[in-house]
Amino acid sequence: MSGTATARPGRSVGLPRQRRRSVPPRPAEANRWTVLVVLCTSLLLVAVDATVLHVAVPAVTEDLRPSAIQLLWIVDVYPLVCASLLILFGTLGDRVGRRRVLLLGYGLFGLASLLASLATEPEVLIAARALLGAGGAMIMPATLSILRQVFPDRRERALAIGLWSAVAAVGAAAGPLLGGLLLEHFWWGSVFLINLPLMAVSLPVGRWLLPESTGDKDGPWDVLGALMAAFGLFGVVLGVKRIGGAEPLSLLTLVPTALGIVLLVLFVRRQRRRAHPLVDLALFARPAFGVSVGCIVLAMLALVGLELVAAQYLQLVLGLSPLQTGLRLLPLTLAAMAAGLMGSRVLARFGPRAMVCSGFALTALAVLSLTVMGREDRPVTLFCGFVLLGLGLETTLFGAYESMLSEAPEREAGGAAAIGETSYQLGAGIGIALLGSVMNAAYAPGVTGTPGVPSAASAAAGHSLGEAYEVAERLGGPAGEALRVAARDAFVHGLQVTLVVSAGLLVVGAGAALRLPRSMD
């Protein structure tokens, strides 16, 4: 041959030899189960932060001396802001990149946690909690939409969603326990500082490992529509929370609710007219998507309302401590974890319709079994009821989430995940308001007119069982004891009525689930 060298495959003749750079495997080539671990860690932080402050409220009150309104905002502003911004950040992730929004959420969550831990004024803590809610709204839909991309196979995705939902259950239950443990050794700001080391690790790991993906970029992002959805949801969620409070018909309740509804109606009309809508409302025309969203609302309505009432019953009627109450409710969480881990097999074997419908039926059965709760403690019955409740609710939520996410196109995964998480938050808020109102309506008449108790004292005792005990202690003597007994009996009656109403709503959910497909595609 002549002096011209023969070119090797993959190298052009005459070009200088270049060293091959070692490129780290991108997430599509990396272990997708490792990606799931990162996503679940993100969700765990958000879930824990939603409940970790509950046990720290007395310490915060003693240190910062907030007013009653400020204390209410300290507790509620996190879920309120988070629910309001889910659609905004979910659809923004579809446009600019889901990993990018998730990493921004990590950074904001870490900075807000540091600000909250160092707060010396109530206003600073409220602002920090609001920023935490914004960070959570960036993280939550991004985890589901990235999960949708990383697991294109539906059966593997079902298993991943089961693990994801089990982690959410663990986080919600671990919040109060972790907060109580930290408060025994540190000041209340430590409940926020636990986020910092995890975020410091999640940021670089997420940047290297998580895949970047976007949806359909045709047309401009609807900034006005995103703001309308955010403020509309803010008004509705705020109104729903206040309806369950002491002044359901005040202007501070009715005005935000009305404005929120108007903004959401205008948002829907705007999306229908746009060639490239922020949220494709045609998704709701698909039975598997629309019914799944409704099932999530109903399941959360039952879960949050029942947990609230059950916690009050265990502490105020049975006289258990907060730690004992948490341990009594622990079987519910453990059962939910087990149902999440088994969910993919159940879904593959029976299909979405049978899974969600049976989950609702099992939950209704568990709720009715809890109507035996009375003045005497029945630990075995409560244990069995809470286990059935956890199994049924997680089975329902798992099937609904999987059907909703699988029905949405991959390009709209962020918007679909945001809709699912918004329905989750709305269901929780409606559950507290609705079942709390039913509870109050059944409880108050049993306290009014207690023999020997002044009318003003009876009216004050009719607000809640805790307040009734305070009034009874001030009265003392036979009148105080009579009020205490009457309030306790009225609360047990209200609890039983609430459980029956909740079971009826769950039966409605079981009927709605019949519109889901029989089997996985």
Side-chain angles (χ1 to χ4, degrees):
M1 289 189 298
S2 64
T4 304
T6 304
R8 296 180 181 179
R11 179 171 177 254
S12 300
V13 178
L15 293 179
R17 184 184 300 273
Q18 297 179 352
R19 289 187 302 172
R20 293 180 179 270
R21 290 189 301 172
S22 177
V23 180
R26 294 307 299 160
E29 305 165 5
N31 191 329
R32 56 190 178 280
W33 299 104
T34 307
V35 173
L36 178 63
V37 171
V38 178
L39 297 178
C40 287
T41 303
S42 309
L43 179 66
L44 182 64
L45 287 173
V46 177
V48 166
D49 227 68
T51 57
V52 72
L53 187 64
H54 292 176
V55 295
V57 166
V60 171
T61 303
E62 182 179 356
D63 189 19
L64 300 186
R65 300 293 181 183
S67 65
I69 297 297
Q70 288 174 329
L71 183 61
L72 184 66
W73 278 102
I74 288 173
V75 175
D76 284 345
V77 72
Y78 174 85
L80 185 61
V81 171
C82 186
S84 304
L85 298 178
L86 284 168
I87 290 179
L88 188 153
F89 287 123
T91 55
L92 181 63
D94 286 342
R95 180 55 58 94
V96 303
R98 293 150 188 163
R99 186 188 67 163
R100 181 177 299 174
V101 171
L102 179 63
L103 295 179
L104 288 174
Y106 285 166
L108 182 59
F109 208 83
L111 291 175
S113 298
L114 179 61
L115 179 62
S117 67
L118 300 177
T120 56
E121 299 292 337
E123 295 83 1
V124 176
L125 184 56
I126 292 172
R129 290 275 290 169
L131 291 176
L132 280 169
M138 293 180 180
I139 294 171
M140 291 175 71
T143 59
L144 264 183
S145 55
I146 293 175
L147 186 150
R148 171 72 171 81
Q149 175 203 359
V150 173
F151 293 91
D153 179 76
R154 185 169 183 180
R155 293 180 184 272
E156 285 192 345
R157 185 166 65 245
L159 177 57
I161 291 176
L163 295 170
W164 181 89
S165 59
V167 167
V170 171
L177 295 177
L178 181 60
L181 181 63
L182 289 171
L183 287 174
E184 288 186 2
H185 303 283
F186 307 102
W187 92 113
W188 60 265
S190 62
V191 302
F192 298 107
L193 283 181
I194 58 173
N195 298 330
L196 297 183
L198 291 174
M199 286 301 170
V201 173
S202 297
L203 262 173
V205 172
R207 186 176 184 276
W208 173 76
L209 185 63
L210 295 178
E212 183 59 283
S213 65
T214 58
D216 187 0
K217 292 188 177 183
D218 293 339
W221 185 57
D222 186 9
V223 179
L224 179 59
L227 294 176
M228 291 171 65
F231 284 105
L233 285 170
F234 187 92
V236 170
V237 175
L238 176 60
V240 166
K241 284 181 173 291
R242 288 188 58 84
I243 287 173
E247 299 180 347
L249 299 180
S250 68
L251 288 178
L252 291 177
T253 301
L254 298 178
V255 172
T257 306
L259 289 176
I261 292 174
V262 169
L263 284 173
L264 290 180
V265 170
L266 294 176
F267 169 76
V268 170
R269 295 181 61 182
R270 178 180 177 85
Q271 298 308 299
R272 287 177 173 174
R273 291 196 303 263
R274 291 181 64 85
H276 304 285
L278 188 70
V279 175
D280 185 7
L281 299 178
L283 286 173
F284 287 93
R286 304 181 182 184
F289 188 89
V291 173
S292 296
V293 170
C295 289
I296 293 171
V297 172
L298 284 172
M300 286 308 301
L301 188 154
L303 174 62
V304 175
L306 289 176
E307 280 191 338
L308 179 64
V309 173
Q312 291 177 338
Y313 167 78
L314 294 172
Q315 293 186 67
L316 298 178
V317 176
L318 299 185
L320 301 182
S321 68
L323 179 59
Q324 291 172 325
T325 299
L327 293 175
R328 283 292 188 93
L329 292 173
L330 193 59
L332 190 155
T333 302
L334 296 177
M337 288 174 54
L341 296 175
M342 296 186 302
S344 60
R345 294 184 179 182
V346 176
L347 184 66
R349 175 68 177 84
F350 298 102
R353 178 189 297 185
M355 185 175 188
V356 177
C357 189
S358 62
F360 270 123
L362 182 60
T363 307
L365 178 64
V367 168
L368 290 176
S369 72
L370 292 175
T371 56
V372 302
M373 290 191 293
R375 286 182 294 178
E376 291 78 25
D377 189 7
R378 294 183 174 89
V380 176
T381 303
L382 293 181
F383 174 84
C384 295
F386 288 149
V387 167
L388 291 177
L389 190 63
L391 289 173
L393 282 169
E394 181 59 27
T395 299
T396 302
L397 287 170
F398 178 94
Y401 263 112
E402 198 283 333
S403 297
M404 179 204 70
L405 202 61
S406 297
E407 188 69 15
E410 195 279 331
R411 67 179 183 277
E412 298 175 9
I419 291 172
E421 293 299 325
T422 302
S423 63
Y424 184 101
Q425 298 288 344
L426 282 176
I430 293 171
I432 293 175
L434 178 60
L435 296 186
S437 299
V438 172
M439 179 72 194
N440 291 336
Y443 162 77
V447 180
T448 305
T450 304
V453 178
S455 57
S458 294
H463 294 157
S464 67
L465 181 58
E467 194 165 348
Y469 282 173
E470 292 178 2
V471 174
E473 186 176 354
R474 289 199 302 267
L475 288 175
E481 182 60 26
L483 178 60
R484 177 181 291 273
V485 172
R488 185 182 58 194
D489 292 343
F491 183 89
V492 171
H493 170 70
L495 172 63
Q496 293 169 345
V497 172
T498 303
L499 291 172
V500 171
V501 171
S502 180
L505 293 172
L506 292 166
V507 171
V508 172
L514 294 175
R515 296 190 61 196
L516 291 172
R518 291 181 181 272
S519 61
M520 297 174 66
D521 295 332

